[in-house]
Amino acid sequence: MIRRIRHKAGVFLIVLLLALLHAVPRLPLQSQYKTNPGQQFASPDSHFLLGSDHLGRDLFSRLLWGMRTTVMVAAVACILAVSCGIILGTFAGLTDGWWSIATDMPLSVMLAFPGILFALIIVDVWGRGWMQIAVAIGLSLLPVYARTVRSAVISIRQEVYFEASRAFGADFKDLILLHIFPYLRATTMSEIVTLSIWAISAVVALEYLGMGDNPAESSLGRLILEGRAYIHIAPSLIIIPTIVLVICLLLLSAFGANYSLTRSK
């Protein structure tokens, strides 16, 4: 009972956070680009809720816009990894022989590279920008999820009901829609949550390395990067976005753990 309450609370908090980020453009916030000369490193007050940065920009506004940018890029990366992972993993799990080897071998080669290094190579070759970061991280996460899907499909193929469906003449489309997709939806949700955590962490890391699009546009990684230079003058510039990042990752992690425990009951 307590676990279910915690699970529902986690879902509520995540939905509330996503709704807040979705509503950011309609909130009465100061512009994330607006500078206020003479008000650098201002303390929190009614005008600057969390203070201002080294250019006099409102930290609260930049924090919300930065969270929105980071989450959107990570979401695109996860959608790419999950959608392509389901296709490749399902095909590799349902086929045998050379088709399975030809599908699985590129995934093994991609897994040989550390994810962040693979993403850095793609961004460095393709160019900097939010879409490049999203695609790079999505491709780096793709083999992880595709391998998970492949293992799940191979496990399903050994079930009696799956063999019975094939014996009665079910084609690939029926097998996928009736047996594989429902099983994946029930068993891989925790993996998707883990991918989301990795994606957000990777996006922040690449943003911290300056791989974003517009240097003036806010993001969590860029806020941490900018705050590092003034850690002795205004430590809140790096502490606040770091705390927000940690809270978001812990919230997702707790949701994934509670979801797994709820499913196991």
Side-chain angles (χ1 to χ4, degrees), residues 6-44:
R6 289 169 56 187
H7 174 68
K8 292 181 179 180
V11 173
F12 174 76
L13 290 176
I14 291 176
V15 172
L16 183 63
L17 176 61
L18 293 178
L20 174 63
L21 297 181
H22 178 71
V24 164
R26 291 177 288 275
L27 295 177
L29 300 172
Q30 297 188 44
S31 172
Q32 60 172 322
Y33 307 109
K34 181 183 178 181
T35 60
N36 296 277
Q39 293 183 306
Q40 296 90 340
F41 307 115
S43 301

Side-chain angles (χ1 to χ4, degrees), residues 131-155:
M131 185 55 63
Q132 288 87 331
I133 289 179
V135 173
I137 295 175
L139 291 178
S140 67
L141 297 177
L142 167 61
V144 178
Y145 188 71
R147 279 295 186 87
T148 302
V149 172
R150 176 178 177 270
S151 300
V153 172
I154 292 175
S155 176

Side-chain angles (χ1 to χ4, degrees), residues 82-96 99-100 103 107 142 145-154 156-157 162 172-173 175-177 179-184 188:
V82 171
S83 58
C84 294
I86 288 177
I87 296 173
L88 293 177
T90 302
F91 184 78
L94 287 177
T95 55
D96 298 310
W99 285 109
S100 180
T103 307
L107 300 177
L142 167 61
Y145 188 71
R147 279 295 186 87
T148 302
V149 172
R150 176 178 177 270
S151 300
V153 172
I154 292 175
I156 297 173
R157 290 181 60 183
F162 189 87
F172 267 19
K173 183 185 72 174
L175 293 174
I176 291 173
L177 295 178
H179 300 302
I180 294 177
F181 279 0
Y183 182 83
L184 292 177
T188 64

Side-chain angles (χ1 to χ4, degrees), residues 65-207:
W65 278 103
M67 290 173 60
R68 176 184 168 88
T69 299
T70 300
V71 171
M72 287 181 60
V73 175
V76 173
C78 286
I79 292 172
L80 174 64
V82 171
S83 58
C84 294
I86 288 177
I87 296 173
L88 293 177
T90 302
F91 184 78
L94 287 177
T95 55
D96 298 310
W98 285 105
W99 285 109
S100 180
I101 295 175
T103 307
D104 189 57
M105 188 172 295
L107 300 177
S108 300
V109 173
M110 295 172 68
L111 280 173
F113 289 90
I116 191 67
L117 177 61
F118 186 77
L120 276 172
I121 293 174
I122 295 176
V123 173
D124 189 56
V125 172
W126 194 8
R128 302 182 178 187
W130 300 126
M131 185 55 63
Q132 288 87 331
I133 289 179
V135 173
I137 295 175
L139 291 178
S140 67
L141 297 177
L142 167 61
V144 178
Y145 188 71
R147 279 295 186 87
T148 302
V149 172
R150 176 178 177 270
S151 300
V153 172
I154 292 175
S155 176
I156 297 173
R157 290 181 60 183
Q158 300 173 357
E159 297 293 337
V160 176
Y161 63 82
F162 189 87
E163 292 294 336
S165 297
R166 297 185 63 179
F168 279 102
D171 57 13
F172 267 19
K173 183 185 72 174
D174 294 331
L175 293 174
I176 291 173
L177 295 178
L178 295 177
H179 300 302
I180 294 177
F181 279 0
Y183 182 83
L184 292 177
R185 186 176 65 249
T187 58
T188 64
M189 179 58 71
S190 59
E191 293 292 336
I192 295 176
V193 174
T194 302
L195 285 183
S196 302
I197 295 173
W198 290 352
I200 292 176
S201 302
V203 170
V204 171
L206 292 180
E207 291 168 347

